[in-house]
Structures are given as C-alpha cells and as structure tokens.
C-alpha cells in the first residue's frame, strides 16, 4: 500500500467570507508610527501591534468574547490566520499580552478611538454617510460587578486607599468632575460596587436592578453608520451630555453638521432642545419632555394661550397671567435656577372667576411656569406634527437594531473590562466592528480579473 501523503493543499479563504470582505477596509498603515513613542528602542522585540489589533477585530466581528478562546481560534482557524497575516507557522501571542497592552500603550495613545474613527472615515469615503439626518440613543450594558459584594451608596468608603491597588477605582476618582460621569448627577446611588464604582446601579429595564454602563451611539440615518460612540453613566443626564459631546466631536473630526436630529423623549428636555435650536441650528425631531399634564380635571398649561407680543398667558376665562406682579426693592431674576419663569394671575381676577374650581381650587391665584427655552420646545412640537417627523421616527429604529445586533450577534451584553476606560475600549472596538461589517455588507467585492 502507498502510505498516505503528508502534504496538503492550503485552501484559500473563500471570496464570500466575512473577514475577506472586512480586510479591504482595515487600514493599519500608520499604526506603528502612531505607537512608536510608546515602545522602547532597546530590549527584546515586541509583539507586532498590528497583529494584536487584527486579532481584537476578529474577536469583536465574530462575537468571540474571551481572549483565551480568541487565541485558540486564531491558532486553529486558517481564515483567522490569513486575516492576521500569520501564515501556517506564525506564533500566536499569549492572551495576557492583550491586557498588558490595553492598559498601557493602547490606552495612553488613544489607539482604539483612532481605530474607530478610521472606520468612520472609510464609510465617508465609500459614500455611506449622508450627513443630513442623525439619530442618537443609549443602551445599557451590564458591568462586571456583583450585587452581593456591593455596599450602600451612603456608606463611607476609603476610595483613596482602594485606588492604590485597583485600576477601576483610580479611574472612578479621575472622572468625578466629568459631565458624563461623576458630575452628571448629585443623587447618591443606592448601591456602589467596590470593584467598579463608576458603574451605575439601575433598574431601567423594569426587572431586577443591576450595575451598568451606557453606550451612546450617534448614527447617520442613511445607512445606520455609527459616526460616534461614547461611554457614560447609565443615567439620563449623562446620556444627554454624551449626545452633545458626540455632536461637537463629529463636527470637529469630520465636519459633519446634520440638519436634523432624531431621538426619544429622554433627549427632549428644555435645555437640550434650546441647545440644539439656538446654539447649533439643528431641527429637533424629538418628542418634548413635558410633565404639565394634569389628571385631577383642572386646566393644564396647554389650556392657556401664550401671547408673544404681550409676553403673557391668557387663561380660559380671558384674563392675563404676567411674569411678575410685584416690584421688589432689590432686583430679582425672572427665571429660577431651573430656567423657569412663573406667570401669575391676579388674585382679584381669580377670586370671583366661575372657572376657579377647575383652575386653581387650592390656591388664591393660578401660576403657569414657562421655560426660557420654550421657543425651542414650541418648535419641536410643531415639527412633531409634520410628515418629516413621522419619517424620522420610523428611521430612528435603526439605532435600536444596532443595539440588538451589538448584544445578540456580537455578544456584548456584559462588559469584561472594568472602569470608565475599560467601557470606552470595549465600546470603541464594538462600534468599529459594526462599521466594518456594514462596509463589508454594502460594498460588494470586486469581480476577479480573468487570468
């Protein structure tokens, strides 16, 4: 018998394989120059950073969450080896190498942010970004924190001592004054995790509460390309602040200035609408966040008509409500700390009024608050009655589909890294992977040339 041959033929990666299509848009030509200041000129040779980045992209594009498993898959899978430029005999780095580089040179050089912006630029070059309509939203991702090991938010904890040994605690202390983190709210959380104190205790899913971070996406509505991503605390104030940050950054990085912004009512506060309309000139296709509705049968604020010329509200009985009925010795601001101006009716008008039981049964006169940003709120209400708003509301679902893809297909329903920087790293890599998959799907492979 003829002994079996020990030779085998290497089957090339199929042309319809995901990584072959993704590889066209992975440009790491400037990677080594970008990281050169963070490497030493002496000592043994370092592991190629391009190899590590390509391995991380495989992990996030293919939903391989464990770095140990990722190293095993790259070692065995020919397609993964081809994508990493390893060949058949190339050595795969140890899984611990990723942690050392992520917490060191990758983070110090802001490499993963640069990698994500490279994918955005590829989408711009391919004509996938229209730039006219954007949508913004946030989704909660579970943090790597255990409820059983948490402490009450009111309990005294020596964070300075813990910061000496825990990187996540040091990052928490460094972000206490940032708008997307510690400064987003002064409310003391119910529980705090000593292992990841920046994670927010939240019950937003109407089920069991958990520790979480928020990943914030700003997408273009044409092809649902992610033009920016930001990590923040899992509270509404931080998410609104992240939306401002992303809009400003896309203007600075890519000169993208949308005509309209679609979002849900969490972004419909008076301050946010005023910022969009008056400071940025963006049409808010956003439902107004309004708590003026009454359920006791009395007149709501919508029952009062505002007279712009007289700067007064007119009640259902035809009487005027003005901003101030008193003259003070020391001038006082019309608006309070919440940006509200209170329009008051005269007691002489309200006392004999037959509609008083339906207007202000428990007070001598009626008061109606008006935001200093009410003009922007009125504009948002007017837009909500148009066909364009209905289209934006339907297209806004594209961002929800991206979050579903992030959690179900890419497997990012729980973070593996801790601290604000760990959340940023994972969110940047996941958004870069989603953009690369979008490019691979929408830009067809070139036809092979005949021999």
């Amino acid at each position: 018998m003829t002994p079996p041959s020990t030779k085998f033929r290497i089957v090339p990666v199929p042309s319809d394989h995901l990584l072959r299509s993704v590889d066209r848009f992975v440009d790491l030509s400037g990677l080594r120059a970008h990281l050169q200041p963070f490497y030493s000129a002496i000592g043994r040779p370092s592991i190629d950073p391009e190899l590590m980045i390509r391995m991380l992209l495989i992990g996030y594009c293919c939903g391989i969450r464990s770095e140990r498993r990722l190293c095993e898959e790259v070692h065995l899978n020919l397609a993964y080896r081809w994508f990493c430029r390893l060949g058949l005999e190339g050595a795969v780095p140890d899984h611990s190498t990723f942690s050392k580089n992520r917490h060191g040179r990758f983070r110090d050089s802001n490499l993963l942010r640069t990698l994500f912006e490279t994918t955005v630029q590829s989408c711009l070059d391919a004509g996938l970004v229209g730039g006219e309509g954007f949508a913004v939203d946030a989704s909660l991702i579970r943090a790597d924190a255990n409820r059983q090991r948490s402490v009450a938010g009111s309990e005294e904890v020596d964070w300075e001592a813990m910061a000496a040994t825990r990187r996540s605690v040091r990052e928490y202390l460094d972000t206490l004054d940032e708008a997307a983190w510690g400064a987003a709210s002064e409310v003391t959380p119910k529980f705090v995790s000593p292992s990841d104190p920046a994670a927010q205790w939240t019950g937003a899913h109407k089920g069991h509460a958990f520790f979480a971070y928020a990943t914030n996406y700003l997408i273009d509505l044409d092809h649902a390309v992610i033009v920016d991503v930001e990590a923040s605390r899992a509270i509404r104030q931080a998410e609104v602040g992240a939306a401002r940050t992303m809009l400003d950054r896309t203007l600075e990085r890519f000169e993208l200035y949308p005509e309209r912004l679609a979002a849900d009512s969490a972004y419909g506060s008076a301050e946010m609408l005023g910022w969009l309309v008056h400071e940025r000139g963006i049409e808010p296709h956003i439902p107004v966040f309004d708590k003026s509705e009454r359920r006791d049968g009395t007149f709501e604020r919508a029952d009062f008509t505002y007279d712009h010329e007289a700067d007064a509200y007119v009640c259902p009985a035809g009487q005027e409500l003005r901003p101030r009925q008193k003259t003070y010795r020391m001038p006082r601001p019309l608006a309070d700390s919440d940006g509200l101006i209170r329009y008051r009716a005269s007691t002489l008008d309200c006392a004999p009024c037959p509609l008083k039981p339906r207007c202000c049964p428990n007070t001598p006169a009626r008061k109606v608050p008006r935001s200093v940003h009410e003009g922007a709120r009125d504009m948002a209400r007017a837009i909500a009655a148009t066909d364009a708003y209905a289209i934006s509301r339907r297209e806004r679902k594209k961002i929800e589909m991206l979050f579903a893809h992030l959690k179900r297909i890419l497997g990012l329903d729980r973070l593996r890294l801790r601290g604000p920087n760990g959340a940023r790293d994972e969110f940047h890599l996941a958004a870069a992977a989603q953009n690369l998959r979008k490019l691979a799907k929408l830009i067809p492979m070139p036809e092979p040339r005949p021999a």
Side-chain angles (χ1 to χ4, degrees), residues 391-408:
I391 295 173
S392 295
R393 185 176 182 180
R394 183 173 64 252
E395 291 183 335
R396 197 180 72 204
K397 296 179 181 178
K398 294 178 180 180
I399 199 167
E400 299 291 348
M401 296 170 66
L402 283 172
F403 288 139
H405 179 269
L406 174 71
K407 296 178 181 180
R408 297 294 181 90

Tab-separated table of all heavy atoms in Angstrom, residues 391-408:
chain	number	residue	atom	x	y	z
A	391	ILE	N	-41.296	60.278	9.413
A	391	ILE	CA	-40.215	59.538	8.758
A	391	ILE	C	-39.031	59.369	9.707
A	391	ILE	O	-38.454	58.282	9.821
A	391	ILE	CB	-39.787	60.272	7.477
A	391	ILE	CG1	-40.936	60.285	6.459
A	391	ILE	CG2	-38.546	59.617	6.862
A	391	ILE	CD1	-40.657	61.127	5.228
A	392	SER	N	-38.670	60.444	10.415
A	392	SER	CA	-37.554	60.357	11.367
A	392	SER	C	-37.857	59.380	12.493
A	392	SER	O	-36.973	58.648	12.952
A	392	SER	CB	-37.262	61.743	11.947
A	392	SER	OG	-36.802	62.628	10.957
A	393	ARG	N	-39.103	59.368	12.920
A	393	ARG	CA	-39.484	58.447	13.995
A	393	ARG	C	-39.338	56.999	13.538
A	393	ARG	O	-38.928	56.129	14.321
A	393	ARG	CB	-40.922	58.740	14.418
A	393	ARG	CG	-41.384	57.924	15.607
A	393	ARG	CD	-42.779	58.337	16.031
A	393	ARG	NE	-43.224	57.590	17.194
A	393	ARG	CZ	-44.397	57.736	17.779
A	393	ARG	NH1	-45.256	58.633	17.295
A	393	ARG	NH2	-44.733	57.019	18.827
A	394	ARG	N	-39.666	56.740	12.279
A	394	ARG	CA	-39.519	55.384	11.751
A	394	ARG	C	-38.041	55.039	11.553
A	394	ARG	O	-37.600	53.932	11.885
A	394	ARG	CB	-40.276	55.267	10.438
A	394	ARG	CG	-40.242	53.870	9.832
A	394	ARG	CD	-41.131	53.749	8.620
A	394	ARG	NE	-40.685	54.605	7.520
A	394	ARG	CZ	-41.307	55.710	7.113
A	394	ARG	NH1	-42.398	56.122	7.740
A	394	ARG	NH2	-40.845	56.421	6.102
A	395	GLU	N	-37.262	55.979	11.035
A	395	GLU	CA	-35.841	55.715	10.798
A	395	GLU	C	-35.049	55.609	12.090
A	395	GLU	O	-33.967	55.014	12.115
A	395	GLU	CB	-35.259	56.819	9.920
A	395	GLU	CG	-35.762	56.805	8.485
A	395	GLU	CD	-35.109	57.877	7.647
A	395	GLU	OE1	-34.660	58.880	8.222
A	395	GLU	OE2	-35.056	57.709	6.415
A	396	ARG	N	-35.587	56.195	13.150
A	396	ARG	CA	-34.883	56.145	14.436
A	396	ARG	C	-34.733	54.718	14.942
A	396	ARG	O	-33.857	54.432	15.779
A	396	ARG	CB	-35.653	56.999	15.446
A	396	ARG	CG	-34.880	57.398	16.686
A	396	ARG	CD	-35.762	58.230	17.586
A	396	ARG	NE	-36.787	57.422	18.225
A	396	ARG	CZ	-37.946	57.897	18.677
A	396	ARG	NH1	-38.237	59.162	18.523
A	396	ARG	NH2	-38.812	57.103	19.273
A	397	LYS	N	-35.550	53.815	14.457
A	397	LYS	CA	-35.474	52.423	14.903
A	397	LYS	C	-34.183	51.756	14.452
A	397	LYS	O	-33.825	50.694	14.969
A	397	LYS	CB	-36.680	51.649	14.375
A	397	LYS	CG	-38.011	52.137	14.925
A	397	LYS	CD	-39.181	51.363	14.351
A	397	LYS	CE	-40.511	51.889	14.887
A	397	LYS	NZ	-41.664	51.159	14.299
A	398	LYS	N	-33.491	52.359	13.481
A	398	LYS	CA	-32.227	51.779	13.025
A	398	LYS	C	-31.208	51.699	14.155
A	398	LYS	O	-30.395	50.765	14.198
A	398	LYS	CB	-31.663	52.601	11.866
A	398	LYS	CG	-32.493	52.560	10.590
A	398	LYS	CD	-31.887	53.427	9.509
A	398	LYS	CE	-32.719	53.401	8.232
A	398	LYS	NZ	-32.138	54.254	7.172
A	399	ILE	N	-31.247	52.661	15.043
A	399	ILE	CA	-30.271	52.649	16.135
A	399	ILE	C	-30.599	51.543	17.134
A	399	ILE	O	-29.704	50.933	17.729
A	399	ILE	CB	-30.206	54.044	16.802
A	399	ILE	CG1	-28.908	54.206	17.596
A	399	ILE	CG2	-31.399	54.307	17.705
A	399	ILE	CD1	-28.640	55.639	18.011
A	400	GLU	N	-31.896	51.243	17.299
A	400	GLU	CA	-32.278	50.138	18.169
A	400	GLU	C	-31.818	48.809	17.566
A	400	GLU	O	-31.424	47.891	18.299
A	400	GLU	CB	-33.797	50.131	18.365
A	400	GLU	CG	-34.359	51.386	19.030
A	400	GLU	CD	-33.963	51.507	20.482
A	400	GLU	OE1	-33.438	50.513	21.041
A	400	GLU	OE2	-34.164	52.588	21.070
A	401	MET	N	-31.870	48.716	16.253
A	401	MET	CA	-31.398	47.494	15.590
A	401	MET	C	-29.895	47.309	15.791
A	401	MET	O	-29.407	46.179	15.930
A	401	MET	CB	-31.736	47.550	14.111
A	401	MET	CG	-33.235	47.559	13.820
A	401	MET	SD	-33.624	47.899	12.101
A	401	MET	CE	-32.937	46.453	11.308
A	402	LEU	N	-29.147	48.413	15.817
A	402	LEU	CA	-27.705	48.315	16.072
A	402	LEU	C	-27.432	47.805	17.480
A	402	LEU	O	-26.520	46.999	17.698
A	402	LEU	CB	-27.044	49.678	15.862
A	402	LEU	CG	-26.807	50.113	14.421
A	402	LEU	CD1	-26.336	51.561	14.382
A	402	LEU	CD2	-25.783	49.216	13.747
A	403	PHE	N	-28.219	48.272	18.449
A	403	PHE	CA	-28.032	47.800	19.823
A	403	PHE	C	-28.397	46.314	19.931
A	403	PHE	O	-27.731	45.560	20.652
A	403	PHE	CB	-28.884	48.628	20.787
A	403	PHE	CG	-28.381	50.032	20.993
A	403	PHE	CD1	-29.265	51.099	21.060
A	403	PHE	CD2	-27.035	50.290	21.120
A	403	PHE	CE1	-28.815	52.393	21.261
A	403	PHE	CE2	-26.560	51.585	21.305
A	403	PHE	CZ	-27.462	52.635	21.379
A	404	ALA	N	-29.455	45.909	19.230
A	404	ALA	CA	-29.814	44.490	19.245
A	404	ALA	C	-28.704	43.647	18.610
A	404	ALA	O	-28.358	42.562	19.123
A	404	ALA	CB	-31.132	44.287	18.499
A	405	HIS	N	-28.130	44.128	17.510
A	405	HIS	CA	-27.024	43.422	16.865
A	405	HIS	C	-25.810	43.360	17.790
A	405	HIS	O	-25.113	42.331	17.861
A	405	HIS	CB	-26.665	44.143	15.561
A	405	HIS	CG	-25.529	43.530	14.808
A	405	HIS	ND1	-24.223	43.924	15.001
A	405	HIS	CD2	-25.502	42.540	13.872
A	405	HIS	CE1	-23.445	43.212	14.209
A	405	HIS	NE2	-24.187	42.381	13.514
A	406	LEU	N	-25.566	44.459	18.510
A	406	LEU	CA	-24.429	44.514	19.431
A	406	LEU	C	-24.538	43.437	20.503
A	406	LEU	O	-23.545	42.768	20.834
A	406	LEU	CB	-24.371	45.907	20.059
A	406	LEU	CG	-23.337	46.144	21.154
A	406	LEU	CD1	-21.939	46.175	20.568
A	406	LEU	CD2	-23.621	47.447	21.896
A	407	LYS	N	-25.751	43.246	21.025
A	407	LYS	CA	-25.913	42.329	22.155
A	407	LYS	C	-26.149	40.895	21.713
A	407	LYS	O	-25.626	39.964	22.338
A	407	LYS	CB	-27.082	42.808	23.034
A	407	LYS	CG	-26.839	44.171	23.669
A	407	LYS	CD	-28.039	44.631	24.479
A	407	LYS	CE	-27.795	46.003	25.089
A	407	LYS	NZ	-28.948	46.472	25.887
A	408	ARG	N	-26.929	40.705	20.658
A	408	ARG	CA	-27.296	39.345	20.259
A	408	ARG	C	-26.261	38.692	19.349
A	408	ARG	O	-25.952	37.512	19.506
A	408	ARG	CB	-28.657	39.376	19.556
A	408	ARG	CG	-29.804	39.852	20.442
A	408	ARG	CD	-30.079	38.870	21.569
A	408	ARG	NE	-31.178	39.318	22.403
A	408	ARG	CZ	-32.456	39.007	22.182
A	408	ARG	NH1	-32.754	38.258	21.134
A	408	ARG	NH2	-33.401	39.439	22.986
